[in-house]
Amino acid sequence: GDLNLGSVVLFFDKVKGAEMPLNKKPKQGQSSQVRVRHILLKHRECKSTVDKVRNKQVKRSRGEAERLLRAVLEQCASDPTKKATFTQRCKEISECQTSLSAGDLAGDLGWLKLGKGKFGPAFDAAALALQVGQLSDLVDSDQGIHIILRSA
């Protein structure tokens, strides 16, 4: 499908104080890779119905998973930075092993490249559409239902 992605390229001859360290590459236009964190809830219709974090079978319906994640979105909406609430809820309920990572890395999937993510095209498209610090709505994959937070 057409993702309606565009890009803006700006050129500056000299910008005061903008000298780049040699090990940093300048960012160009629409990013083809983003760094994201997520909260994953599985349900009975998933490809795998095992919560690998807690080593138990997932028995909830898709509707229950959606309801729980909608509550997380509401809680995050009342947190100005979203990060603290997202981190806390990720550690509490996410059924992805990334939720076990320390501190602000809870739920971190690292850098995603377009078309290379393990959660499929809908997840990649949602992740790439986010601005840094922005939360997605609910995103479906064969692994379960996700909330994505773009971290970089």
Side-chain angles (χ1 to χ4, degrees):
D2 186 8
L3 299 178
N4 294 326
L5 296 177
S7 63
V8 176
V9 180
L10 301 173
F11 295 98
F12 299 102
D13 279 345
K14 195 76 173 154
V15 178
K16 197 169 183 164
E19 285 74 33
M20 280 268 179
L22 293 173
N23 62 348
K24 292 258 187 192
K25 290 184 184 142
K27 290 201 162 86
Q28 298 165 349
Q30 170 69 41
S31 185
S32 62
Q33 64 174 14
V34 293
R35 186 155 190 178
V36 295
R37 298 166 59 196
H38 77 143
I39 295 174
L40 168 68
L41 280 187
K42 297 181 177 224
H43 51 79
R44 291 189 297 255
E45 299 166 43
C46 292
K47 192 165 77 173
S48 162
T49 56
V50 175
D51 173 354
K52 292 182 178 165
V53 177
R54 294 159 196 89
N55 285 320
K56 65 178 190 186
Q57 197 68 32
V58 173
K59 295 179 170 46
R60 80 175 63 85
S61 68
R62 174 189 290 271
E64 288 173 86
E66 288 177 0
R67 188 178 48 75
L68 288 165
L69 286 174
R70 289 254 174 248
V72 171
L73 283 174
E74 286 175 24
Q75 291 163 348
C76 287
S78 63
D79 173 2
T81 66
K82 296 176 188 59
K83 267 173 73 174
T85 303
F86 184 90
T87 299
Q88 176 190 353
R89 299 300 285 144
C90 180
K91 289 178 180 203
E92 289 170 3
I93 68 168
S94 185
E95 292 164 344
C96 178
Q97 290 178 315
T98 59
S99 68
L100 301 172
S101 301
D104 281 347
L105 289 177
D108 185 49
L109 294 171
W111 290 94
L112 287 189
K113 284 189 167 74
L114 182 58
K116 304 262 192 251
K118 69 177 190 173
F119 296 114
F123 185 96
D124 290 357
L128 286 165
L130 295 172
Q131 301 297 316
V132 175
Q134 185 182 10
L135 277 174
S136 71
D137 197 3
L138 305 186
V139 179
D140 234 333
S141 79
D142 60 3
Q143 305 286 320
I145 304 173
H146 313 257
I147 297 174
I148 308 167
L149 173 65
R150 181 169 170 190
S151 53

